[in-house]
């Protein structure tokens, strides 16, 4: 399947990765090559096969609904590029 | 005692227990080797003071476990409290976790000493360790008298290089599509990817959560058994961690494989396979037969679809896992221009912080999960994955105990050699290893011989789920027959 520049631009947007306009044609080419490789999967008869969800046939374990780890505000914020007054700070999101 | 860093874990353990050597001496020997080995690009965050403190503590604690006082290297993918852990990515620049991964917690509880953090491909994406923000890790092996620098493989390239060059006694690796076994094969060492769920993934930076599994990279099979035991076990913090007892893997190493059935899958005999690899595989088969195993030709019919399935599933999971790197919580944030809002912050931060291979895979993952393509790509790949797993279940049900294959389609290649290649060509490096990740099975690579240029080649054994002890024992029997003792000539 051939990917056009418009699709490459849309995927970059969805992935939240800025891609300069002049790099979109090469990106579209790379996508086309990789998706071409992936197309082989269409040769496989998958009728009636359930998509695999878990590697081991165990039910996902559940924790009791209790607080067991909390009160670590300082540790949580320690690596933030911008933290102020106990919060993560980001550019203005509401006008 | 400059030879101390060359010791195997088992030898060092025994010498420590007898009081013939101290952990401080072992650790100093490794630190001195590390200082002389910057050309290998293996250690990217050195922690000598921490290492000596841990060594002193180990020397004071005579009651420690098998790894008490053993100096190890830790792949940069493992979060280590207070020590830089950045998955070889620019986006995690400056990140120092406030917590310790379960694997390193267990290793340190056993008494292991951390020498520092090891180079890797960015977010473990790559097969040559060339996507690292720190620069390349380099293979200690060279082709004859040729000066060309070779790849140690990826993504655990720094771990492989460090163990092969005797900078440490053992190292942690992680394997999502072959990232323990392929670099082990390229550097002439042993590496095992255990059954999915055997080792906790908690605190290991996630790439593709349904495939990622940590394991040891060591100088021989016994060392892998010792280190794997310390790394394994149930962890309530990882919901996919199996609540199973951890056997004594070392005790399983009897070398007796009489009556075991070894499967030889015809689909792994690829067109254009180098004669040397084909011969190595045949020789390995003969050795297992001579050791008393029954050899059986088997078929794993969906093998050829493993790589394309992997290159849907792994990027899909990566696009989800890497969504957390957004410039808000940790690491790098792009400088913003006047008027930039939060979307621009995300887009610029991720464009600056991620390398090209990571961006490519995140975007491929975004595409295969997007509306309209989810069924055609992602769901189809998961169905093919179910068929790949069923192939293995069928041969195991037919009485096969382990499967022998080559570990890689070639020996180590030159750094930069794949620079202009299609990304798909690089992906082919994992052609023999990726099936076990899709099926969640344990796989081990053991050094098996040298090619015509004097570079190591490896063989892979794939085992039944949860039977790492049996798999390690088969690998041990193979190791004893192979008698691989070659070491790289020191040039660094």
């Amino acid at each position: 399947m051939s990917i056009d520049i418009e699709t490459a631009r849309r995927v970059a947007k969805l992935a939240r990765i800025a891609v300069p306009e002049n790099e979109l044609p090469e990106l579209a080419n790379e996508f086309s090559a990789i998706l071409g490789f992936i197309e082989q999967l269409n040769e496989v008869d998958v009728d009636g096969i359930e998509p695999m969800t878990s590697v081991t046939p165990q039910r996902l374990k559940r924790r009791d609904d209790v607080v067991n780890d909390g009160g670590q505000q300082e540790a949580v914020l320690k690596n933030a590029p911008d933290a102020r007054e106990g919060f993560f700070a980001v550019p203005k999101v509401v006008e | 005692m400059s030879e101390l860093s060359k010791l195997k874990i088992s030898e060092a353990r025994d010498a420590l227990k007898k009081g013939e050597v101290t952990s401080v001496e072992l650790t100093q020997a490794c630190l001195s080797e590390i200082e002389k080995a910057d050309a290998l690009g293996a250690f990217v965050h050195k922690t000598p003071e921490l290492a000596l403190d841990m060594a002193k503590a180990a020397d004071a604690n005579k009651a420690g476990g098998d790894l008490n006082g053993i100096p190890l290297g830790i792949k940069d993918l493992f979060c280590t409290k207070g020590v830089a852990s950045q998955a070889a990515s620019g986006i995690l620049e400056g990140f120092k976790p406030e917590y310790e991964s379960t694997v390193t917690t267990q290793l340190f509880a056993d008494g292991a000493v951390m020498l520092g953090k090891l180079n890797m491909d960015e977010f473990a994406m790559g097969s040559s360790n060339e996507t690292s923000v720190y620069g390349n890790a380099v293979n200690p092996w060279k082709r004859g008298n040729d000066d060309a620098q070779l790849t140690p493989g990826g993504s655990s390239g720094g771990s492989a290089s460090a163990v092969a060059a005797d900078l440490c006694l053992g190292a942690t690796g992680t394997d999502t599509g072959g990232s323990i076994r392929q670099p082990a094969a390229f550097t002439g060492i042993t590496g095992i990817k255990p059954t999915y769920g055997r080792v906790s993934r908690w605190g290991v930076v996630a790439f593709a959560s349904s495939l990622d599994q940590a394991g040891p990279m060591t100088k021989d099979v016994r060392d892998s058994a010792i280190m794997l035991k310390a790394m394994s076990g149930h962890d309530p913090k990882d919901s996919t961690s199996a609540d199973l007892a951890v056997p004594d893997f070392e005790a399983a190493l009897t070398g007796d494989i009489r009556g075991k059935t070894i499967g030889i899958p015809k689909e792994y005999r690829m067109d254009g396979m180098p004669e040397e690899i084909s011969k190595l595989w045949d020789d390995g088969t003969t050795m297992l037969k001579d050791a008393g195993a029954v050899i059986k030709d088997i078929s794993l019919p969906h093998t050829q679809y493993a790589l394309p399935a992997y290159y849907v599933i792994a990027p899909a999971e990566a696009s989800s896992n890497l969504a957390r790197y957004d410039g808000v919580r940790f690491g790098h944030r792009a400088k913003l221009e006047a008027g930039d809002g939060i979307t621009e912050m995300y887009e610029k931060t991720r464009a600056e912080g991620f390398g090209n291979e990571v961006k490519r895979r995140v975007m491929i993952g975004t595409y295969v999960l997007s509306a309209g393509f989810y069924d055609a790509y992602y769901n189809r790949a998961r169905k093919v994955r179910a068929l790949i797993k069923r192939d293995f279940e069928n041969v195991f049900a037919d009485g096969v105990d382990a499967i022998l294959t080559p570990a890689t389609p070639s020996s180590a290649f030159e750094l930069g050699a794949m620079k202009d290649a299609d990304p798909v060509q690089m992906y082919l490096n994992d052609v023999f290893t990726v099936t076990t990740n899709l099926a969640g099975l344990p796989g081990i690579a053991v050094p098996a011989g040298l090619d015509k240029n004097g570079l190591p080649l490896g063989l892979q054994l794939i085992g039944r789920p949860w039977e790492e002890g049996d798999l390690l024992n088969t690998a041990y029997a193979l190791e004893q027959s192979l008698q691989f003792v070659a070491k790289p000539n020191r040039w660094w």
Side-chain angles (χ1 to χ4, degrees), chain A residues 1 11 13 15-16 18 30 35 38-39 41 43-44 49 52-53 55 61 78-81 88-89 91, chain B residues 95-96 98 210 241 305 312 327-330 333 347 350-351 360 363 367 377 380 382 385 389 438 440:
Chain A
M1 185 161 163
V11 171
K13 185 81 196 166
R16 297 288 184 269
E30 283 175 358
L35 291 170
I38 291 168
E39 296 282 309
L41 295 177
E43 298 166 14
V44 187
I49 305 295
M52 193 165 146
T53 49
V55 180
K61 293 186 289 286
K78 185 82 178 261
N79 282 288
F88 291 112
Chain B
F95 177 59
K96 288 188 178 167
E98 289 291 300
S210 78
S241 162
Y305 301 106
V312 174
V328 176
R329 283 159 289 178
F330 22 61
R333 177 184 291 187
E347 290 181 344
R350 288 161 67 79
R360 181 155 53 218
M363 288 191 273
Y367 180 79
Y377 290 110
R380 175 167 281 269
R382 290 197 301 144
R385 185 178 183 183
K389 184 161 186 269
L438 290 165

Side-chain angles (χ1 to χ4, degrees), chain A residues 1 3 7 10-19 27 30-31 33-35 37-46 49-53 55-56 58 60-61 63 75 78-82 88-93, chain B residues 94-96 98 196 210 234 239-241 305 307-309 311-312 327-331 333 336 342 345-347 350-351 359-360 363-364 366-367 373 377 379-380 382-383 385-387 389-390 422 424 438-440 466:
Chain A
M1 185 161 163
I3 298 293
T7 307
R10 188 173 61 86
V11 171
K13 185 81 196 166
L14 286 172
R16 297 288 184 269
I17 296 175
V19 177
L27 186 65
E30 283 175 358
F31 283 176
I34 295 168
L35 291 170
F37 176 62
I38 291 168
E39 296 282 309
Q40 289 178 61
L41 295 177
N42 291 327
E43 298 166 14
V44 187
D45 179 4
V46 292
I49 305 295
E50 278 294 308
M52 193 165 146
T53 49
V55 180
T56 40
Q58 62 174 12
L60 215 54
K61 293 186 289 286
R63 275 198 297 266
K78 185 82 178 261
N79 282 288
D82 191 1
F88 291 112
V90 296
K92 194 162 76 169
V93 286
Chain B
F95 177 59
K96 288 188 178 167
E98 289 291 300
Y196 182 82
S210 78
H234 179 236
S239 64
T240 58
S241 162
Y305 301 106
L307 266 182
Y311 277 97
V312 174
V328 176
R329 283 159 289 178
F330 22 61
R333 177 184 291 187
L336 301 180
I342 195 153
M345 186 196 78
Y346 295 150
E347 290 181 344
R350 288 161 67 79
K359 286 185 208 173
R360 181 155 53 218
M363 288 191 273
I364 285 287
T366 303
Y367 180 79
F373 298 103
Y377 290 110
N379 260 342
R380 175 167 281 269
R382 290 197 301 144
K383 288 178 184 177
R385 185 178 183 183
L387 290 168
K389 184 161 186 269
R390 199 166 72 184
D422 191 290
V424 171
L438 290 165
W466 312 116

Side-chain angles (χ1 to χ4, degrees), chain B residues 22 24 43 65-66 91 93 111 118 123 131 140 151 210 236 260 274 282 286 289 302 349 358 393 426 440 445 482 487:
Chain B
T22 65
V24 168
F43 276 88
D66 274 341
I91 210 157
E93 174 104 57
L118 293 164
F123 284 108
T131 70
T151 175
S210 78
K260 293 282 179 191
D282 293 341
T286 307
K289 190 175 177 191
H302 295 92
T349 295
V358 171
E393 286 164 357
M426 183 67 99
L482 289 162
K487 295 289 265 183

Side-chain angles (χ1 to χ4, degrees), chain B residues 438-454:
Chain B
L438 290 165
L441 300 171
I444 184 167
V446 288
L450 298 175
D451 75 356
K452 61 178 184 299
N453 295 313

